[in-house]
Amino acid sequence: MDTITIKTKILEKGETCDHCLGRQVTHRYKGIKNEHIGAAIRHSNTEKEIKEKIEQEKPQIKLTKNCFLCKGLFTETDKMYSKLLEEVNQWEFQNFLVGSKIPNEVVEQQEKLWTEIPPEDAEPVRREINRELGKKLSQHLKMEPEFEEPEIVFILNFEQKKVETQVRSLYIYGKYRKLKRGIPQTKWPCTHCKGEGCEECEQTGKQYKHTVEDLVAENLMEATQTKEHKFHGAGREDKDALMLGEGRPFVVEMVTPKRRNPDLEEVQEKINKQSKGMIEVQNLRESNSEEVVKLKSEKRDKTYEVWAETRDKVTEKDLKKVEKQLEEQEVEQRTPTRVSHRRADRVRKRKVHTIKLQKENENQFKAKIRAESGTYIKELISGDYGRTRPSVAEILKTQVTPKKLNVLKIHEPNND
Ligand SMILES: [Zn+2]
Ligand SMILES: [Zn+2]
């Protein structure tokens, strides 16, 4: 179908703007803006005339609120662009993408027309808007748009006449050491009010005043102007266990951060200062969602030190016997009584790699144990009423109570 016939068919249906007229045949005139094509064909009766008019530098462009195709959408693009600039100023980013939401009736009109004229040479309203306003913003910011993984997407919502922003999370990796007992790793809502705030928790909504998560995340959130975060740890230790050595890897995910380039050295210093010896973080650096998946799925051996008390007196010989029997030994652990209220009751097998026991006095010893990821260490010591077998208690044939536990090392996944 030739261009003049297409034009006549469209104009018979009603009034249009030059954007919408030109859009229908845009691929026939490569490198020319839709509204210029529209203006040229509106005032032409032959293909030759179109060619001549298209060369003109500054044609008169027709915009109208009465366009039956876009319903006047192209009269609103300047206003929308101002709103876009306002929004853009609130965010920090290194690449972006512009998208749009177009009213349904515009899309419907479009599709109806395309049943009557060939759609191959036309382009949808949305594509024109995204490209043109994207290009304008790109020039303004002197920044290239990113189509694959943009840090930020600005959606021009022409239905509600506002700009919506979607921001990619920012991930920060680090390692923490926990130097005081009684601090859980993650947020723990008050058990009375479930986090609402009550007298019991002095309106904080927290069961514990401090958590590793809060101590780490508060400063990161402030530095990146983020309201919401997620804490991903490479496993966790009991709230009463210390986390020593080089610390435990974690990634904090900042959801919709306004700033993406925090000075991590400064943040690290601040966290460590404000934590007052409760925790210490190091190695803060930028990370990504793939690393979170890795962190969560990797199996890492851990090395622990535990102090334990025995009901009956034990000798060096007894302790040697334990070492011998547990070294490179697989133990069967039924879900411990202390966690059975929140975990399914099952038996799992874990391997103890090395175990060294050191007598402190007749009823006390210290153990250093390297075990497979997921080993219940307290139960390995106490036996948990026969639910863990074999155990230190079983071999010593007496009651053994773990008193204090520290994590000394989270080993590399490939076992260093
Ligand atoms: Zn239009
Ligand atoms: Zn409460």
Side-chain angles (χ1 to χ4, degrees):
M1 198 182 286
D2 68 88
T3 304
I4 300 297
T5 311
I6 290 175
K7 170 190 93 166
T8 313
K9 270 184 176 279
I10 293 169
L11 293 182
E12 271 168 10
K13 294 183 184 304
E15 195 177 351
T16 74
C17 68
D18 280 340
H19 285 270
C20 290
L21 196 55
R23 233 160 17 83
Q24 310 308 330
V25 291
T26 189
H27 297 315
R28 296 182 181 184
Y29 308 96
K30 291 230 151 63
I32 312 288
K33 288 183 171 230
N34 289 342
E35 61 272 31
H36 288 199
I37 300 169
I41 63 178
R42 184 184 299 281
H43 304 291
S44 301
N45 292 312
T46 65
E47 192 63 39
K48 190 162 163 273
E49 267 184 82
I50 298 173
K51 289 256 158 65
E52 285 164 12
K53 289 213 165 70
I54 247 171
E55 305 285 309
Q56 285 177 7
E57 287 274 310
K58 282 196 174 143
Q60 195 69 30
I61 303 297
K62 176 174 170 164
L63 279 174
T64 171
K65 282 200 182 318
N66 300 324
C67 174
F68 80 95
L69 281 168
C70 70
K71 309 289 176 193
L73 190 143
F74 285 96
T75 63
E76 294 166 13
T77 51
D78 284 350
K79 218 167 161 187
M80 202 54 124
Y81 185 72
S82 311
K83 284 185 185 170
L84 173 61
L85 287 185
E86 265 172 48
E87 183 69 18
V88 161
N89 286 334
Q90 296 183 41
W91 302 88
E92 188 175 89
F93 51 93
Q94 276 170 349
N95 59 59
F96 70 95
L97 191 62
V98 170
S100 55
K101 276 185 196 156
I102 305 298
N104 263 339
E105 49 171 353
V106 173
V107 178
E108 281 162 17
Q109 283 294 337
Q110 179 85 73
E111 275 161 10
K112 203 168 139 206
L113 178 70
W114 287 348
T115 62
E116 296 175 40
I117 64 157
E120 303 86 54
D121 295 329
E123 92 171 330
V125 179
R126 219 162 68 89
R127 199 176 303 160
E128 176 174 350
I129 295 281
N130 294 355
R131 185 190 57 241
E132 292 302 325
L133 295 194
K135 210 196 290 173
K136 206 167 162 182
L137 184 61
S138 172
Q139 283 161 359
H140 171 77
L141 297 171
K142 297 186 177 59
M143 189 188 284
E144 289 298 313
E146 162 67 39
F147 297 96
E148 298 294 318
E149 279 187 27
E151 283 183 352
I152 192 163
V153 182
F154 299 105
I155 309 279
L156 310 170
N157 186 333
F158 280 90
E159 226 157 9
Q160 293 171 23
K161 309 204 189 304
K162 62 174 189 185
V163 178
E164 294 161 7
T165 306
Q166 297 169 351
V167 183
R168 195 141 55 92
S169 290
L170 177 69
Y171 298 87
I172 306 292
Y173 169 97
K175 285 182 173 181
Y176 74 83
R177 284 157 45 86
K178 193 171 92 191
L179 308 167
K180 286 253 167 71
R181 298 182 199 280
I183 302 173
Q185 185 194 61
T186 48
K187 276 186 285 197
W188 196 315
C190 167
T191 47
H192 286 266
C193 63
K194 307 251 181 299
E196 298 271 308
C198 66
E199 263 176 52
E200 205 72 31
C201 60
E202 294 173 349
Q203 308 306 326
T204 59
K206 297 174 181 179
Q207 183 75 4
Y208 294 91
K209 200 170 168 204
H210 298 290
T211 61
V212 175
E213 174 173 8
D214 283 340
L215 292 168
V216 172
E218 270 165 18
N219 277 299
L220 276 170
M221 285 169 72
E222 194 193 309
T224 53
Q225 293 186 26
T226 306
K227 291 206 182 81
E228 192 194 333
H229 78 270
K230 291 175 189 154
F231 186 93
H232 310 281
R236 60 169 68 217
E237 67 285 335
D238 288 344
K239 67 179 196 306
D240 291 322
L242 301 186
M243 180 64 239
L244 304 174
E246 289 167 24
R248 186 185 294 276
F250 64 86
V251 172
V252 186
E253 176 181 351
M254 312 294 154
V255 183
T256 59
K258 287 206 159 171
R259 300 283 166 264
R260 300 191 80 91
N261 291 302
D263 181 338
L264 290 177
E265 233 168 86
E266 199 182 297
V267 176
Q268 186 167 307
E269 235 171 73
K270 224 166 156 184
I271 293 172
N272 290 341
K273 198 169 158 221
Q274 290 180 2
S275 297
K276 298 196 173 85
M278 289 184 276
I279 65 154
E280 232 176 65
V281 295
Q282 50 191 339
N283 306 101
L284 289 194
R285 61 161 168 80
E286 201 174 320
S287 176
N288 53 47
S289 58
E290 290 81 39
E291 192 164 25
V292 174
V293 176
K294 228 173 93 193
L295 216 64
K296 287 293 189 191
S297 59
E298 278 169 353
K299 300 272 175 271
R300 294 159 172 264
D301 283 3
K302 318 271 177 351
T303 296
Y304 304 85
E305 58 183 349
V306 198
W307 286 262
E309 266 176 27
T310 59
R311 193 191 54 207
D312 302 314
K313 289 175 185 170
V314 291
T315 62
E316 296 278 1
K317 207 177 145 200
D318 296 329
L319 298 182
K320 279 278 167 287
K321 190 175 159 197
V322 173
E323 288 178 357
K324 224 174 145 195
Q325 290 195 25
L326 285 181
E327 184 119 347
E328 293 301 332
Q329 170 72 43
E330 193 171 74
V331 295
E332 292 193 355
Q333 300 199 293
R334 196 172 147 200
T335 304
T337 35
R338 69 185 161 98
V339 300
S340 60
H341 62 286
R342 56 189 164 92
R343 286 195 197 159
D345 188 19
R346 60 191 183 91
V347 174
R348 60 189 195 185
K349 292 178 179 167
R350 290 292 186 274
K351 201 162 188 185
V352 177
H353 290 298
T354 56
I355 175 163
K356 286 274 169 285
L357 303 186
Q358 200 186 328
K359 193 175 153 187
E360 303 231 302
N361 61 45
E362 285 174 329
N363 293 91
Q364 267 182 12
F365 66 86
K366 179 185 163 186
K368 192 172 169 186
I369 304 165
R370 174 168 174 164
E372 197 182 337
S373 170
T375 309
Y376 292 114
I377 294 299
K378 286 180 184 165
E379 284 68 22
L380 174 67
I381 301 287
S382 73
D384 196 25
Y385 309 100
R387 291 160 75 99
T388 284
R389 298 198 63 195
S391 69
V392 175
E394 185 182 342
I395 299 166
L396 290 175
K397 295 194 180 68
T398 183
Q399 193 180 316
V400 186
T401 313
K403 289 293 176 189
K404 256 188 339 184
L405 188 146
N406 297 334
V407 184
L408 293 182
K409 190 172 170 77
I410 314 270
H411 295 266
E412 288 304 312
N414 52 3
N415 292 345
D416 64 341

